[in-house]
Amino acid sequence: MTAVQTDPVVSTPYGAVRGRYEDGVAVFRGIPYAAPPFGPHRFRPPVPPEPWDGVREAADFGPTPPKPPYSEAFAQYLSDPVVPGDDCLNLNVWTPEPGPAARLPVMVWLHGGALTRGSSGVPVYDGRPFARDGVVLVSVNYRLGVEGYGYFPDAPANPGLRDQLAALEWVHTSIEAFGGDPGRITLFGQSAGAISIGALLAAPQAQSLVRRAILQSGPPEAAERDKVRRMVRRMANRLRIPATAAAFADVDRELLLRTQADVGRLSSPVVGGPAFGIVVDGDIVPQDPLEALTEGDAASGVDLMTGWTRDEYRLWLVPGGLLERVDRLGAVALAGAMARCHVGADVPRGYRALHPEAGTAEIVGQMVTDHLLRGPLHRLADARPGSSYVYEFAWPSTLPDLGACHALELGFVFDTGDVPESRKLAGEGAPQELADEMHRAWVRFAVEGDPGWQTWDDSHPVRIFGDGETRTALGPRDPELALWTTAAPPEAMPTSALADGAPPPRGTEMRSVVRRLRLPGAVRRH
């Protein structure tokens, strides 16, 4: 007769928590790492939670931070569950062996969602497969949108990033009791989560907290403060209040979310525009994170893995029919992309030569993806003094037109391709053997610091997943990325030199493209 496992109980610095055993894995959900960020704590850095007496139940996911829903066009591909409640600064732990003797490697997951959406409760992020393979998996909720990344004259910047740092400090202090080794923490995230990791790696306060890091489809970067400030001002104008944290704190949360969604409707990775982002604040972000990591000695001892999907841009353009609209705009879209990327006609002309059969949308999408993502990640890998590994995910979704789009790799990394939320993006028939390969590589990197392929060097080795047999290719993106190093700036290009006869890009080009595209909501990096 098999013995019944009793529910696991673990002590944290603030009180004991009781989890559940699920498929042999101890799972603890909704553990608070900071106090509710409302009332006197709204728009302020996180503070420790109030200790509790007795044993706190940790069976269910905790509340999610305030966020607007995805638009209908994106909701058919992306899931974003909502759990109501104020105590939204919480995290979850999956562990195969709770207790201080285990000393297992730890992976801490930061979700994507353009810093405005997402949560740790998305079923794709279930941590049981990692725990099954000997890793303690932690996933984190953090403040989003204007609550987490609004820029105000009367409040510290980057409260959402400060939440992530507080969660990381909690993990470093508390994870041993759950079976983890605080000296072997791998921080990994996708899109906005990866961008956050770049900032945390460069933050002075986090230098001793991370051993390894994985940046999926998101480079270290800082947003222009004026772009974030414009988002806040536009919201303030709609609400008819001052653009201050004190005034925003008095606004009903649902009204604030509706206003944020409406103002952010025209933001897009392809066309730019005002958006929330991490800003240089002189404290947790003392300088641009990419500069700190490539030109300074920040995180010099951290092993790094970075990568992207082959068709990132298709998640930005396929929902709502934007792919076809960009193709119809033709020369106007190309001129807008040149303005967006601050390049002249040599760049789109070079892409045309490399991809003669591609339509305008593909040229624009790959240009913007290389400018925003692949180029900075190449630069990061080139500059790192330690071990760096680079991958490309190339398996195309079975759904129409998505290709190997942004966020598609997540079900493979987590080995959760069987959940309906993964199939919303991948379609039916995702190959389990590819999930086995990718999940194994992520686990191996966390355990050994080596995912199983050649470290980055002058030959630019990139591991290709999902394009036939998994292999390491040497510099598959280099011909396109090399265009950026030789391109003349747009103001230096005569009109006659522009691709397809497009006029020279000016400040009005992107506004014109935005108007003509009629962008749906949430066209942002996932």
Side-chain angles (χ1 to χ4, degrees):
M1 184 173 180
T2 303
V4 177
Q5 286 181 306
T6 59
D7 292 337
V9 176
V10 171
S11 295
T12 79
Y14 307 105
V17 292
R18 178 185 287 111
R20 298 289 185 272
Y21 277 104
E22 300 176 5
D23 299 328
V25 171
V27 184
F28 303 81
R29 298 183 176 93
I31 304 172
Y33 66 84
F38 301 106
H41 304 309
R42 200 170 185 192
F43 298 107
R44 297 290 161 181
V47 298
E50 287 292 328
W52 58 88
D53 296 324
V55 179
R56 182 183 180 119
E57 295 298 326
D60 300 320
F61 286 113
T64 50
K67 56 187 175 177
Y70 281 115
S71 67
E72 184 178 346
F74 281 81
Q76 65 180 311
Y77 300 115
L78 303 173
S79 296
D80 197 9
V82 172
V83 180
D86 286 355
D87 208 358
C88 60
L89 299 186
N90 58 67
L91 51 76
N92 319 295
V93 180
W94 287 263
T95 175
E97 190 178 345
R103 307 290 291 184
L104 298 170
V106 181
M107 298 185 74
V108 179
W109 171 250
L110 299 182
H111 67 81
L115 300 178
T116 59
R117 293 172 174 84
S119 79
S120 64
V122 176
V124 179
Y125 309 151
D126 191 297
R128 279 177 291 180
F130 279 104
R132 173 199 68 199
D133 294 331
V135 172
V136 177
L137 193 284
V138 181
S139 61
V140 177
N141 280 339
Y142 55 93
R143 276 175 284 183
L144 302 167
V146 72
E147 301 272 2
Y149 297 93
Y151 187 61
F152 298 99
D154 57 336
N158 303 313
L161 186 67
R162 295 172 191 271
D163 295 343
Q164 295 168 357
L165 177 61
L168 190 56
E169 291 171 337
W170 185 98
V171 171
H172 201 264
T173 300
S174 309
I175 205 63
E176 187 173 355
F178 291 84
D181 181 352
R184 290 196 291 167
I185 294 175
T186 298
L187 191 57
F188 75 127
Q190 185 264 352
S191 195
I195 292 170
S196 300
I197 290 171
L200 290 169
L201 291 178
Q205 298 89 334
Q207 290 306 292
S208 62
L209 301 180
V210 178
R211 179 66 186 86
R212 301 184 177 101
I214 305 173
L215 280 68
Q216 300 175 214
S217 299
E221 66 178 21
E224 297 175 17
R225 275 189 267 188
D226 189 54
K227 288 181 68 172
V228 180
R229 195 182 283 120
R230 290 205 309 273
M231 277 290 286
V232 172
R233 287 174 177 167
R234 289 183 182 186
M235 290 184 65
N237 289 338
R238 296 283 182 94
L239 295 166
R240 298 183 180 181
I241 61 173
T244 64
F248 271 62
D250 289 335
V251 177
D252 174 77
R253 284 187 220 168
E254 291 302 317
L255 175 59
L256 203 60
L257 289 177
R258 291 196 300 271
T259 305
Q260 176 184 302
D262 190 43
V263 169
R265 185 172 54 88
L266 298 182
S267 297
S268 164
V270 177
V271 299
F276 293 113
I278 296 165
V279 298
V280 173
D281 60 12
D283 177 21
I284 188 174
V285 188
Q287 68 180 111
D288 181 278
L290 185 59
E291 292 179 3
L293 293 169
T294 57
E295 300 173 12
D297 59 356
S300 58
V302 174
D303 298 327
L304 193 66
M305 187 164 85
T306 68
W308 48 77
T309 70
R310 182 166 291 179
D311 306 309
E312 298 272 3
Y313 66 94
R314 287 185 173 269
L315 186 62
W316 309 331
L317 293 183
V318 169
L322 292 181
L323 201 71
E324 294 82 2
R325 295 180 201 172
V326 171
D327 275 335
R328 287 199 300 269
L329 283 174
V332 173
L334 276 175
M338 290 162 62
R340 176 80 174 97
C341 299
H342 310 292
V343 297
D346 285 356
V347 170
R349 187 183 298 120
Y351 280 77
R352 286 281 192 209
L354 289 165
H355 305 283
E357 303 302 319
T360 299
E362 182 175 348
I363 297 296
V364 167
Q366 294 291 10
M367 278 178 59
V368 173
T369 300
D370 284 347
H371 170 67
L372 293 176
L373 201 157
R374 295 190 188 103
L377 289 178
H378 265 251
R379 180 183 166 194
L380 178 63
D382 279 337
R384 296 298 297 163
S387 298
S388 293
Y389 300 87
V390 178
Y391 72 89
E392 178 173 281
F393 178 80
W395 182 81
S397 170
T398 62
L399 298 178
D401 299 322
L402 285 179
C405 69
H406 195 63
L408 181 57
E409 88 281 12
L410 294 176
F412 296 86
V413 168
F414 278 84
D415 193 13
T416 52
D418 57 338
V419 304
E421 291 78 6
S422 285
R423 294 197 294 272
K424 284 178 71 172
L425 197 58
E428 300 295 334
Q432 180 59 44
E433 60 273 17
L434 179 58
D436 293 341
E437 289 178 352
M438 294 190 70
H439 180 73
R440 187 184 308 120
W442 265 244
V443 169
R444 178 172 166 171
F445 181 75
V447 174
E448 304 176 14
D450 175 359
W453 64 87
Q454 181 182 346
T455 58
W456 186 262
D457 58 22
D458 290 343
S459 67
H460 289 186
V462 177
R463 190 69 158 181
I464 309 295
F465 289 101
D467 183 14
E469 183 178 352
T470 299
R471 67 193 190 281
T472 301
L474 300 182
R477 308 291 315 179
D478 285 355
E480 290 171 6
L481 292 170
L483 294 168
W484 299 99
T485 64
T486 58
E491 59 270 17
M493 301 301 298
T495 302
S496 60
L498 294 170
D500 294 344
R506 299 185 178 89
T508 58
E509 290 291 353
M510 298 313 300
R511 290 193 292 274
S512 172
V513 173
V514 168
R515 286 195 299 269
R516 297 177 69 174
L517 283 175
R518 300 189 302 278
L519 291 172
V523 189
R524 302 268 322 283
R525 266 180 282 188
H526 173 55

